[in-house]
Amino acid sequence: MPARSAPAGSSTGRRLLIVGVCLVSLAGACGLAWWQWDRFTSASGTFQNLGYVLQWPLFGLFPAFMFWRIRQLRLRAAQQDAPETARPAPRVDVPAPRRAVPAVAAADEDDELAAYNRYLRELHARDQETSRPETSRPE
């Protein structure tokens, strides 16, 4: 979907709305923190109320933090999308080919090991046959 440019006045209006929501959120959270402080200092107050006193302002600052974080991410994405002149191509390291393991001489193998190796070769051959595409098999 192509990105549409916003009308000239809506950007300022949107920012003012976001700032207003952030301020209302902070004011409400500070009010709740004050209420929890009153609860903490009362006769029935607990340390849980004190925890809320510290927690509510953080909740109130969260919308402002998210506005700042989203703005930073958009700026970073715009910088990455902008074409840079003389950008070097990324270097790709290609690993060196593996050396073949020398085959063990038949005289060094015992009978059980030789039978096991034959069994493994048969399994590998069967696996290679089943992994071939269906179109290459004769019917």
Side-chain angles (χ1 to χ4, degrees):
M1 179 178 257
R4 292 182 283 169
S5 61
S10 68
S11 177
T12 304
R14 182 183 301 163
R15 285 185 182 165
L16 288 175
L17 179 66
I18 291 172
V19 168
V21 167
C22 290
L23 289 175
V24 167
S25 170
L26 183 60
C30 287
L32 289 168
W34 183 265
W35 170 63
Q36 287 295 328
W37 179 257
D38 285 343
R39 292 281 311 211
F40 173 69
T41 56
S42 71
S44 64
T46 64
F47 282 105
Q48 183 177 8
N49 297 114
L50 182 62
Y52 287 137
V53 168
L54 302 173
Q55 203 173 24
W56 277 114
L58 294 176
F59 290 155
L61 289 172
F62 184 73
F65 168 74
M66 286 307 299
F67 175 63
W68 173 81
R69 180 70 177 144
I70 290 170
R71 189 163 184 249
Q72 293 297 317
L73 290 173
R74 284 184 181 168
L75 289 174
R76 187 178 304 158
Q79 288 174 353
Q80 288 176 354
D81 290 343
E84 294 181 22
T85 57
R87 175 187 252 181
R91 181 177 177 191
V92 178
D93 292 330
V94 179
R98 294 188 211 169
R99 288 186 279 161
V101 177
V104 178
D108 293 343
E109 293 183 350
D110 62 350
D111 292 335
E112 284 185 39
L113 183 59
Y116 181 67
N117 285 334
R118 278 193 305 277
Y119 173 68
L120 290 178
R121 282 192 294 271
E122 290 173 10
L123 285 178
H124 179 70
R126 272 192 243 153
D127 186 47
Q128 294 299 316
E129 288 177 8
T130 58
S131 66
R132 290 184 187 150
E134 294 291 326
T135 57
S136 65
R137 286 190 181 170
E139 292 192 29

